[in-house]
Amino acid sequence: MMEKPVVIETDRLILRPHGIADFQDVHALWSDPGVVQHIFDRPQTEAEVWFRLLRYAGHWSLLGYGYWAVIERASGRFMGEVGFADYKREIEPPMTGLPEAGWVMARAAHGQGIAKEAMKAALDWCDEHVDAPGTWAMITPENAASVRLAEKLGFGQTRTGMFNGKARLIFERGR
């Protein structure tokens, strides 16, 4: 079932669909070397971030799920992104049929429980609205904070695989 992008509210946060007006915040997030160090081997360019925004809209349009911009309710400040995607990753064995969960937070959000609060709300939504037996996540072994968060959210490591020439930990979570 196709879903239109939805808004989710928590005690401290608003998760809402991305818009063109978010481009500068999203670019600042993905071009920060400290933020992307465990995701990419370099900060992302404006063009790469623009394509990211288009993919977010495409996921919602074609799959009925996607990513949300995470906004702090009190300040209106962009804090990061959480959500789900199907990137058709070339991993063996393939992770078909399960949305890939992901989260990335701006440095201002680190260590405040914002990623956990946002992902808990996103996972609750996914469990209710996406016809899949669970979700999965891919994390580099060096990203201890994301590994801890995945475990707190109910993901369990099921294997280690290679992606883009680097070892990745594969986590899965059932509904």
Side-chain angles (χ1 to χ4, degrees), residues 8-10 15 68 116-126:
I8 300 172
E9 295 191 23
T10 70
L15 282 61
W68 289 272
K116 181 180 177 188
E117 184 176 332
M119 274 308 298
K120 170 78 171 79
L123 286 163
D124 288 348
W125 178 89
C126 184

Side-chain angles (χ1 to χ4, degrees), residues 7 33 90 111 159 163 174-175:
V7 174
E90 295 179 9
R159 62 189 166 94
F163 181 74
R175 287 164 59 139

Side-chain angles (χ1 to χ4, degrees), residues 64-117:
Y65 60 81
Y67 269 74
W68 289 272
V70 177
I71 308 299
E72 185 178 52
R73 287 174 73 124
S75 67
R77 189 167 59 165
F78 177 87
M79 301 302 278
E81 304 173 336
V82 299
F84 308 97
D86 181 355
Y87 292 127
K88 305 286 186 208
R89 302 232 193 243
E90 295 179 9
I91 299 173
E92 287 299 325
M95 298 299 295
T96 55
L98 294 179
E100 179 181 351
W103 52 87
V104 61
M105 294 291 127
R107 287 195 210 204
H110 290 184
Q112 298 181 41
I114 290 174
K116 181 180 177 188
E117 184 176 332

